[in-house]
Amino acid sequence: MKTWCALAFLWLAYFCHGTLSCPALCKCYLRRAEVVCNEVPMIEYPSEGLPKNTTLLTIQFTNITSISENHLNPTPLLEGLHLYSNHLQSLSSHLLRGVTRLNTLDLTGNKISDLPADVFSHAPLRNLVLKNNLLEKADAEWLPDNSNLTWLDLSGNRLTQIPAALLQKLPHLDSLDLANNLLEKISANSLDQLTKLERLNLQNNKLDTLDASILQSTQNLNYLFLSRNKLNKLPQNLFQELPQLKLLSLDDNQLSHIPTGLLDPLKSLDEEGLDLTANPWVCDGKTEYLWRWLQKNKEKVFLPDTIICASPPSLMGRSVMSLTESELN
């Protein structure tokens, strides 16, 4: 009888609480092979006690400062590792050597300023998020050649450039987020390998122009975010190879004119898919192309009546849409 009761207790513990073993300050859910740790007092990675069959591990809002290959070895079946908003400052080289099924690694909101070579090799990562850290440079040596990544998020760091050698290792990438950095230039051929790219976010950087050929290989691009930069001129053929583009944000830049024909290739823009607001438009003869395009494509433009003339003084504050042909000339 006692044996039967003991077995019944173990059975209840197993299915009600998800596991018989679970690290302190964590919750383990055996049925979905998931562990969640979100307690501030935690200062070390909870290797001991983690169920060996764990496939999804979330550690957030703790005081953990480092993580190594040895920490991950007890969970070889891991597929998703989410380390949000901790105090991680360093990752060991060959970090992922023991988790050969890991496809998602999210390190958002830590204090990582530098990373060793090969840190993201040895696992078939498809999603890598390094958002809101302290990185000042990105390095091609982080990743293996012909990486499986489809999603790379480096937004919210201190990057001044993105090496072409890094992007050349990402032929499967469909989303690249470089927003909220300090980028001043994107080199001419750096995106040539990204033929599957669908989403490119460059907003809130320091770009003042873009090379005419920068987007020539990204024909699958659907979303392009360029707002809050310092763009003051754009090449006439910049969007020539973007027939599938649905959304384009150019707001909050320094554009005074756009070249004739710039917007003509954008046949697939969504309703309100183009944002040109908050630019210092000079309303003169050179604005006639923009004026005519707006008249024909008003439904594709976000708040078209708020695209405002900054000069000349006689037209300052007027909506470009409201101008007459004689006023432009």
Side-chain angles (χ1 to χ4, degrees):
M1 184 68 178
K2 289 182 179 179
T3 301
W4 185 90
C5 289
L7 289 173
F9 175 80
L10 290 173
W11 186 89
L12 286 171
Y14 188 84
F15 286 100
C16 293
H17 297 284
T19 183
L20 295 178
S21 170
C22 192
L25 306 178
C26 296
K27 295 180 180 178
C28 299
Y29 308 92
L30 184 71
R31 288 184 181 181
R32 56 180 187 258
E34 179 181 0
V35 178
V36 177
C37 312
N38 56 2
E39 297 290 338
V40 172
M42 183 176 288
I43 58 174
E44 293 185 358
Y45 187 92
S47 298
E48 295 185 10
L50 283 173
K52 190 173 182 179
N53 70 333
T54 301
T55 60
L56 179 59
L57 174 59
T58 299
I59 301 176
Q60 56 190 358
F61 311 120
T62 75
N63 285 312
I64 295 174
T65 59
S66 64
I67 178 174
S68 71
E69 176 187 352
N70 291 334
H71 288 130
L72 299 182
N73 284 340
T75 51
L77 304 182
L78 206 59
E79 297 176 6
L81 178 58
H82 301 272
L83 300 169
Y84 315 126
S85 300
N86 296 289
H87 286 74
L88 288 173
Q89 299 174 23
S90 64
L91 308 179
S92 70
S93 186
H94 307 300
L95 175 69
L96 308 181
R97 190 153 45 184
V99 283
T100 56
R101 299 186 183 187
L102 192 72
N103 60 66
T104 298
L105 176 59
D106 193 335
L107 293 157
T108 298
N110 283 283
K111 298 181 178 181
I112 300 169
S113 59
D114 192 24
L115 290 168
D118 296 322
V119 61
F120 302 125
S121 298
H122 310 298
L125 284 180
R126 295 181 62 83
N127 307 294
L128 175 58
V129 183
L130 290 161
K131 180 179 181 180
N132 294 346
N133 276 280
L134 304 174
L135 293 168
E136 295 185 0
K137 65 177 183 177
D139 195 329
E141 298 305 314
W142 293 348
L143 296 167
D145 292 335
N146 197 29
S147 166
N148 291 309
L149 281 185
T150 60
W151 185 292
L152 176 59
D153 189 343
L154 286 164
S155 63
N157 281 283
R158 301 173 180 178
L159 302 177
T160 56
Q161 59 180 338
I162 184 75
L166 172 63
L167 300 180
Q168 287 168 4
K169 292 185 171 185
L170 305 173
H172 308 290
L173 203 67
D174 59 42
S175 180
L176 175 59
D177 196 336
L178 297 169
N180 305 316
N181 275 288
L182 303 171
L183 299 175
E184 297 181 356
K185 184 179 180 181
I186 306 292
S187 58
N189 303 114
S190 58
L191 305 182
D192 283 1
Q193 299 299 316
L194 306 187
T195 57
K196 296 183 179 181
L197 197 65
E198 297 180 4
R199 182 185 181 94
L200 176 58
N201 192 347
L202 293 168
Q203 68 184 16
N204 200 26
N205 278 285
K206 296 186 175 184
L207 301 171
D208 58 13
T209 188
L210 294 170
D211 188 273
S213 63
I214 189 71
L215 302 172
Q216 66 181 359
S217 299
T218 58
Q219 286 125 2
N220 289 309
L221 206 61
N222 289 323
Y223 304 95
L224 177 56
F225 303 92
L226 293 167
S227 58
R228 299 196 299 283
N229 276 283
K230 297 182 178 182
L231 295 171
N232 54 65
K233 58 182 179 180
L234 297 173
Q236 185 176 25
N237 296 323
L238 181 62
F239 305 132
Q240 190 68 41
E241 304 298 332
L242 302 182
Q244 299 187 51
L245 199 67
K246 298 178 180 180
L247 187 147
L248 171 60
S249 69
L250 284 164
D251 51 297
D252 245 336
N253 277 285
Q254 297 299 315
L255 296 172
S256 57
H257 296 100
I258 60 171
T260 299
L262 176 73
L263 303 175
D264 292 348
L266 304 181
K267 306 295 185 183
S268 299
L269 283 175
D270 285 343
E271 185 174 340
E272 298 189 346
L274 174 63
D275 192 345
L276 295 170
T277 59
N279 280 285
W281 299 106
V282 175
C283 295
D284 55 17
K286 294 181 181 179
T287 312
E288 183 176 353
Y289 166 70
L290 174 60
W291 174 75
R292 291 188 182 281
W293 193 91
L294 290 173
Q295 304 294 332
K296 294 179 182 179
N297 298 278
K298 181 179 179 180
E299 74 285 351
K300 295 183 178 181
V301 183
F302 177 70
L303 298 178
D305 293 325
T306 63
I307 301 172
I308 303 298
C309 300
S311 62
S314 59
L315 298 176
M316 187 182 298
R318 287 277 301 278
S319 164
V320 173
M321 285 280 294
S322 73
L323 302 178
T324 64
E325 192 167 357
S326 60
E327 286 175 314
L328 286 173
N329 292 320

